[in-house]
Each structure stands twice: as C-alpha cells, then as structure tokens.
Amino acid sequence: MPAHTFTSSAPLIGRLRVPGDKSISHRSLMFAGLAVGRSRITGLLEGEDVLATAAAMRQLGAHIEREGDGTWVVHGVGVGSLLEPRQALDMGNSGTSTRLMMGLLASHRLKATFVGDASLSGRPMNRVITPLSEMGASFEASAGGTLPLMMHGAFPAVPITYRLPVASAQVKSAVLLAGLNTPGITRVIEPVATRDHTERMLTGFGAKLEVGEENGERVIAIHGEADLKPMDVVVPGDPSSAAFFLVAASIVPGSDLVIENVGLNPTRAGIVTVLKQMGADIEELDSREVGGEPVADLRVRHAPLTGIDVDPDIVPSMVDEFPVLFVAASYAQGTTRCTGLEELRVKESDRIAVMAAALTAAGAQVEELEDGLIIEGTGGEPLRGTSNASVKTHLDHRIAMSMAVAGLASKDGVEVDDTAPIATSFPTFMELLEGAANTP
C-alpha cells in the first residue's frame, strides 16, 4: 500500500469495536492446541501475527478451523503430543509467536526451525534462548541470537527457577510454557510485574499454577506434565488498539466516542491511567469480567491535556502504547517526560528514535533521551503537519497508526510513507477511523 496522508478530522462520534486482544489471541490458539478436546474462540484478532501462530499450531498437529460466523474451533493434541513440524515455522513479524512457541516446544522431543520476516529476524531471541537452554533445549541461532534459528527440544526437560533479568511477559511465558511438559515445578521470579494473560488463561485451561510473593517480587510456579482441558475463550478488545482512538478522540475537538469491549487487565491498561492523569475525559461503562479478564466500554470525549512526568513503573503495562502517548503529549499543555523506555529501542523499530524523527517532521518539539523522550506540547493548537515529505514508519505498524492519529489534529496533514504494516495488528484501523469521522 502506498503512502497515505491523514488530515484534519471532523469530530470522532459514535460507537466502535476494536479487534480482539493480540496477546490473548496468540495464547488462546496455543493453549487450545495443547488441550485435549475441542475449544471455541470468539473475538480472535485475525491479523497476520495471530494467523502465523495458527499456522504454526497446525504444523504441530492441532486441528484449527474458522467457522463462517468468525468463531475459531480448535481440536488440541495434548501437552507432550505435539508433532515435529515438517517445514520451518514461519513467524512472519510476530515476536510473541516466536518466543512463546520456542518455550512451548523446548520441552518436547522434537526439532524445529524458526524463520521470520526481515524485521523479526533483527529482534533479540537470546533472552528466551538462555532460560530454555538451562532447561535442556539446545539452539543454533544466527549471529546475535536472531532468526533463523534451529531448536532441539529437551525430553525430559529440567525444571528451573528463573529470575527475569528484563521485564518481559514473553520471556516469562516461554519459561512457563516449557514448564507445562517438564516433570516437577518450574518457577519464574518477576522483579517487575508484567502482563499476566498467560497465568490467567493457563489456569482457565486447567493448569496447576501458583502465584505468590517473595521479598516483594512476584513468583509464578507451574506444575509440569499438565493436562489441559478445552475451554471456550471470549477474546476482549485489545487495549493497544483502543489506545489510538482514546488519543484521537482526546485531541480532535468535538469528539465523543464509545469504544466497546476493551480489555482492562491492570497489567496492560496503563495507557488509560496515564491519559486520565493528563486530564483525558475517559469513562468506564458496564465494567464486567469475561473469561477471567476485566472488560469495559470506554467513553472518551475531547478534553484539554496537560503534560506530566510519566512514572517509569507503569512502563510494562503500556510498553506498546508509548508511540501514541507521545502524540497525545505533543498536543498537551506543557512538558511531558517519558523515561525508562529502553525496551522501545528493540521493538519492530527503534520506537524512541523513529517517533522523535516523525513528530519533529510534523512540527512537534521533541528531545530524545537514551531511555525516552521529553515533549513540549502545543497546548491544544494543531501541529503544523508534514509538507512535501512523508513520515518514515520503518515498517512499524504502531508508528504508522500513531502518526495517522497525529495527522487528525494537524494543519497540513501528516503523510505516512506506508500503511501496509498496520494489517499485522489492526486490519480494520483505516475503516474504523473513517467511519468515526464521517458519522452523521
């Protein structure tokens, strides 16, 4: 898809529903594939990343079908009964699929090769290779511990206690998933709490899992040689996708938008907390629990935002939402300071440098730090926008969507060099944006 210019928008009005949560979608396919029997999944995010997980699980022996009404039906093969894949597992652009799948297979007697696109092949895998090697799996990776890589699973694997050196839900999940087929108890110590979808959903599928605390750190213990039971999963809307509309409605004057069915898991919904601290008008309607996950409809109305110092402790609960938060900060009154974001430098792109360049090109005042950004807001005035130049997204879906949102309240519009990557996480983004702005 070629470049696209996002211009000053009419108020965003009405109701919309964002796609299913990506983290929960990946896990529902994997865990259903490990259960014995038939699971049904509704609300699955049908983006390219999640479809890569579905394709990989099929190669490992799970039977997965999409029904006409959008429900996915999975007949699982059981923990310990995965088949050796006949060809390389192509993970596309998905770091989550790769790291979780490496964990899943590490305690099975099989070998597997993982490949991915150019962006994924530059992302670090040593963070999962290290603990999985301690459990007995062996790896032949490309230089720097990247894809393509080949793995020999260990059978039986050795249970370990692993203290996470970096706050990463993917590394935690990889170790817990390896523990499913490992005799004994595998433990993960988490100095900083990260998203807990794996723990919630594994418990739902019948795994024996204990979460406790030692010396102020979270400890998760999983009992191996688990028998997972099938279950029906309802996937809540992805807070990472909702974030773009929360910010868009906050900065476009006259907006009054309801985003339905948004997952508000406290380990994920940091963006809502931070936007409220900045003065955003966000109301939670019909709060409820669906499949162990807290959910609500969010009503957001245009409101003046004020710059704040974002607490670095909230970073793990909104790590993917910082690009769009930077946009909100560009329109706020005063200075916003975001630090503790080193992890953003190893995402689909270096999101600190790329967003600094993109926002500067659109007329924002940005100072780049080693671990974050300082942004001087316009006080609600439109950004200039980009004239005669397009913003470089570096094939990163979240950069593309964040700068699209920036364009909605700009004078000259913001041209994004390529909107195709948006399909990896939010295939209906353009359509929903257009619909909300054109609601009579």
Side-chain angles (χ1 to χ4, degrees):
M1 208 178 282
H4 186 93
T5 301
F6 294 87
T7 51
S8 181
S9 168
L12 304 176
I13 305 282
R15 301 178 77 85
L16 57 82
R17 192 170 270 246
V18 296
D21 183 281
K22 193 155 102 164
S23 300
I24 296 173
S25 294
H26 281 304
R27 288 163 174 78
S28 64
L29 286 168
M30 288 185 191
F31 303 169
L34 286 174
V36 177
R38 177 177 185 266
S39 298
R40 291 165 57 84
I41 306 166
T42 48
L44 189 85
L45 168 65
E46 296 180 3
E48 291 162 8
D49 282 10
V50 174
L51 299 180
T53 294
M57 288 308 296
R58 284 191 184 107
Q59 281 203 59
L60 299 169
H63 186 77
I64 302 177
E65 274 179 4
R66 182 187 190 276
E67 298 193 327
D69 63 355
T71 303
W72 289 67
V73 177
V74 181
H75 289 268
V77 287
V79 173
S81 303
L82 297 175
L83 305 178
E84 183 164 294
R86 290 193 184 149
Q87 59 221 64
L89 297 171
D90 186 348
M91 300 284 114
N93 183 244
S94 180
T96 307
S97 308
T98 312
R99 295 188 182 115
L100 268 59
M101 200 67 76
M102 284 166 68
L104 197 64
L105 297 181
S107 54
H108 285 74
R109 188 193 313 225
L110 47 76
K111 65 176 189 292
T113 302
F114 291 85
V115 298
D117 69 7
S119 159
L120 181 62
S121 300
R123 295 179 69 184
M125 295 298 154
N126 282 333
R127 51 179 62 179
V128 285
I129 290 174
T130 301
L132 297 177
S133 299
E134 282 181 35
M135 297 180 79
S138 62
F139 297 87
E140 292 157 41
S142 302
T146 56
L147 302 190
L149 69 76
M150 189 190 208
M151 178 181 98
H152 286 267
F155 188 80
V158 184
I160 61 170
T161 294
Y162 189 68
R163 190 171 187 279
L164 291 179
V166 55
S168 168
Q170 294 177 1
V171 179
K172 166 178 72 175
S173 299
V175 176
L176 293 175
L177 291 182
L180 279 175
N181 198 42
T182 300
I185 298 175
T186 299
R187 298 161 83 241
V188 176
I189 301 170
E190 232 185 357
V192 179
T194 63
R195 51 182 72 175
D196 63 355
H197 305 303
T198 296
E199 297 94 303
R200 286 174 187 251
M201 195 180 286
L202 278 177
T203 303
F205 273 98
K208 191 175 174 203
L209 193 118
E210 287 126 10
V211 181
E213 214 171 85
E214 282 173 26
N215 312 321
E217 297 181 325
R218 205 161 164 266
V219 181
I220 305 113
I222 190 157
H223 293 249
E225 300 180 297
D227 287 319
L228 299 190
K229 296 166 186 59
M231 73 179 239
D232 290 352
V233 180
V234 178
V235 180
D238 196 323
S240 300
S241 297
F244 299 106
F245 288 94
L246 291 173
V247 172
S250 294
I251 65 175
V252 174
S255 296
D256 184 350
L257 194 60
V258 175
I259 309 164
E260 298 174 346
N261 190 47
V262 181
L264 292 179
N265 181 312
T267 64
R268 281 291 297 292
I271 184 72
V272 176
T273 306
V274 171
L275 286 174
K276 284 181 176 175
Q277 287 168 357
M278 294 174 77
D281 180 355
I282 300 171
E283 197 185 342
E284 294 176 21
L285 310 174
D286 186 21
S287 298
R288 54 206 185 267
E289 192 164 289
V290 179
E293 294 278 347
V295 171
D297 301 337
L298 298 180
R299 182 182 184 187
V300 54
R301 286 173 277 203
H302 172 256
L305 302 178
T306 307
I308 61 167
D309 287 359
V310 179
D311 181 352
D313 286 348
I314 206 164
V315 170
S317 70
M318 58 173 292
V319 69
D320 286 329
E321 286 70 77
F322 274 95
V324 79
L325 181 73
F326 297 154
V327 173
S330 302
Y331 285 95
Q333 177 79 49
T335 309
T336 299
R337 192 184 176 90
C338 304
T339 54
L341 303 180
E342 301 88 346
E343 181 67 12
L344 261 63
R345 293 209 183 266
V346 294
K347 288 289 187 176
E348 282 83 335
S349 67
D350 174 344
R351 287 181 175 163
I352 294 175
V354 173
M355 280 304 292
L359 285 169
T360 302
Q365 279 184 276
V366 182
E367 183 190 336
E368 184 177 339
L369 307 172
E370 189 52 44
D371 66 341
L373 293 182
I374 298 173
I375 298 170
E376 195 62 50
T378 63
E381 291 302 308
L383 283 176
R384 183 192 70 234
T386 54
S387 42
N388 311 323
S390 60
V391 162
K392 292 187 173 37
T393 57
H394 296 264
L395 301 178
D396 186 328
H397 53 121
R398 296 201 197 280
I399 305 288
M401 290 184 279
S402 299
M403 292 312 296
V405 169
L408 300 180
S410 66
K411 285 196 191 85
D412 301 338
V414 169
E415 185 180 329
V416 171
D417 67 356
D418 190 357
T419 53
I422 291 172
T424 66
S425 70
F426 199 159
T428 55
F429 174 76
M430 306 278 276
E431 203 180 300
L432 288 175
L433 199 55
E434 228 161 86
N438 293 323
T439 303

